[in-house]
Short mmCIF file of all heavy atoms in Angstrom, two decimals:
data_model
loop_
_atom_site.label_atom_id
_atom_site.label_comp_id
_atom_site.label_asym_id
_atom_site.label_seq_id
_atom_site.Cartn_x
_atom_site.Cartn_y
_atom_site.Cartn_z
N ASP A 33 2.42 17.86 9.98
CA ASP A 33 1.20 18.52 9.94
C ASP A 33 1.44 20.08 10.30
O ASP A 33 1.50 20.47 11.37
CB ASP A 33 0.18 18.04 10.99
CG ASP A 33 -1.10 18.71 10.88
OD1 ASP A 33 -1.53 19.16 9.76
OD2 ASP A 33 -1.78 18.79 11.90
N PRO A 75 -4.13 7.44 21.70
CA PRO A 75 -3.53 6.75 22.82
C PRO A 75 -4.55 6.51 24.01
O PRO A 75 -4.26 7.16 25.04
CB PRO A 75 -2.37 7.61 23.21
CG PRO A 75 -2.71 9.00 22.76
CD PRO A 75 -3.64 8.89 21.63
N SER A 127 5.97 9.86 29.40
CA SER A 127 6.74 9.65 28.25
C SER A 127 7.22 8.16 28.04
O SER A 127 7.50 7.71 26.94
CB SER A 127 7.90 10.65 28.33
OG SER A 127 8.51 10.54 29.57
N PRO A 175 -11.78 16.27 29.10
CA PRO A 175 -11.22 17.56 28.57
C PRO A 175 -9.72 17.59 28.54
O PRO A 175 -9.11 16.75 29.18
CB PRO A 175 -11.78 18.57 29.58
CG PRO A 175 -11.84 17.78 30.77
CD PRO A 175 -12.17 16.34 30.46
N MET A 177 -6.34 18.45 29.97
CA MET A 177 -6.07 18.57 31.53
C MET A 177 -5.28 19.89 31.67
O MET A 177 -4.23 20.09 31.21
CB MET A 177 -5.15 17.35 31.83
CG MET A 177 -5.02 17.34 33.38
SD MET A 177 -3.75 15.92 33.89
CE MET A 177 -4.94 14.66 34.14
N ARG A 196 1.87 10.38 40.85
CA ARG A 196 0.95 10.17 39.74
C ARG A 196 0.81 11.49 38.97
O ARG A 196 0.74 11.57 37.82
CB ARG A 196 -0.44 9.88 40.26
CG ARG A 196 -0.61 8.24 40.47
CD ARG A 196 -1.98 7.92 40.78
NE ARG A 196 -2.09 6.47 41.24
CZ ARG A 196 -3.17 6.06 41.91
NH1 ARG A 196 -4.16 6.90 42.23
NH2 ARG A 196 -3.15 4.86 42.26
N LYS A 197 0.74 12.60 39.73
CA LYS A 197 0.54 13.91 39.08
C LYS A 197 1.81 14.25 38.33
O LYS A 197 1.75 14.65 37.16
CB LYS A 197 0.29 14.92 40.10
CG LYS A 197 -1.14 14.88 40.70
CD LYS A 197 -1.33 15.99 41.79
CE LYS A 197 -2.79 16.06 42.16
NZ LYS A 197 -3.07 16.88 43.30
N ALA A 272 18.91 24.42 37.42
CA ALA A 272 17.93 25.51 37.14
C ALA A 272 17.87 26.42 38.28
O ALA A 272 17.65 27.66 38.14
CB ALA A 272 16.59 24.82 36.90
N ALA A 274 20.47 27.02 40.76
CA ALA A 274 21.78 26.78 41.18
C ALA A 274 22.11 27.40 42.59
O ALA A 274 22.57 26.71 43.48
CB ALA A 274 22.79 27.18 40.06
N LEU A 319 30.15 8.80 34.92
CA LEU A 319 30.02 7.50 34.26
C LEU A 319 31.33 6.88 33.93
O LEU A 319 31.63 5.64 34.13
CB LEU A 319 29.07 7.43 33.00
CG LEU A 319 28.79 6.32 32.38
CD1 LEU A 319 28.09 5.18 33.32
CD2 LEU A 319 27.82 6.38 31.18
N ASP A 321 34.05 7.40 35.50
CA ASP A 321 34.72 7.03 36.78
C ASP A 321 34.13 5.73 37.25
O ASP A 321 34.80 4.78 37.80
CB ASP A 321 34.45 8.11 37.87
CG ASP A 321 35.22 9.42 37.66
OD1 ASP A 321 36.23 9.31 36.79
OD2 ASP A 321 34.96 10.45 38.21
N GLY A 338 22.76 1.15 30.03
CA GLY A 338 22.04 2.37 29.74
C GLY A 338 20.83 2.60 30.74
O GLY A 338 20.91 2.17 31.93
N ILE A 376 36.08 2.54 27.20
CA ILE A 376 35.39 1.28 26.85
C ILE A 376 36.20 0.60 25.66
O ILE A 376 36.47 -0.59 25.72
CB ILE A 376 33.91 1.57 26.29
CG1 ILE A 376 33.15 2.23 27.43
CG2 ILE A 376 33.15 0.31 25.88
CD1 ILE A 376 31.77 2.82 27.05
N TRP A 430 33.18 7.58 15.77
CA TRP A 430 32.32 6.97 14.85
C TRP A 430 32.97 6.59 13.51
O TRP A 430 32.71 5.66 12.98
CB TRP A 430 31.06 7.78 14.66
CG TRP A 430 31.26 8.93 13.76
CD1 TRP A 430 31.45 10.26 14.12
CD2 TRP A 430 31.21 9.03 12.30
NE1 TRP A 430 31.54 11.06 12.98
CE2 TRP A 430 31.49 10.38 11.83
CE3 TRP A 430 31.01 8.04 11.27
CZ2 TRP A 430 31.49 10.78 10.51
CZ3 TRP A 430 31.09 8.37 9.88
CH2 TRP A 430 31.30 9.75 9.66
N ALA A 466 22.69 -8.51 18.31
CA ALA A 466 21.49 -9.35 18.46
C ALA A 466 20.37 -8.47 19.01
O ALA A 466 20.58 -7.46 19.63
CB ALA A 466 21.73 -10.51 19.48
N SER A 521 38.35 18.06 14.99
CA SER A 521 38.70 19.24 14.20
C SER A 521 37.44 19.66 13.35
O SER A 521 37.17 20.86 13.14
CB SER A 521 39.86 19.12 13.37
OG SER A 521 39.62 18.44 12.15
N THR A 550 8.44 19.92 5.98
CA THR A 550 8.94 18.58 6.18
C THR A 550 10.25 18.32 5.61
O THR A 550 10.38 18.71 4.43
CB THR A 550 7.81 17.60 5.51
OG1 THR A 550 6.56 17.95 5.98
CG2 THR A 550 8.12 16.16 5.86
#
Side-chain angles (χ1 to χ4, degrees):
D33 182 33
S127 48
M177 189 185 270
R196 276 188 190 160
K197 287 180 174 176
L319 184 55
D321 291 347
I376 303 170
W430 77 263
S521 83
T550 306

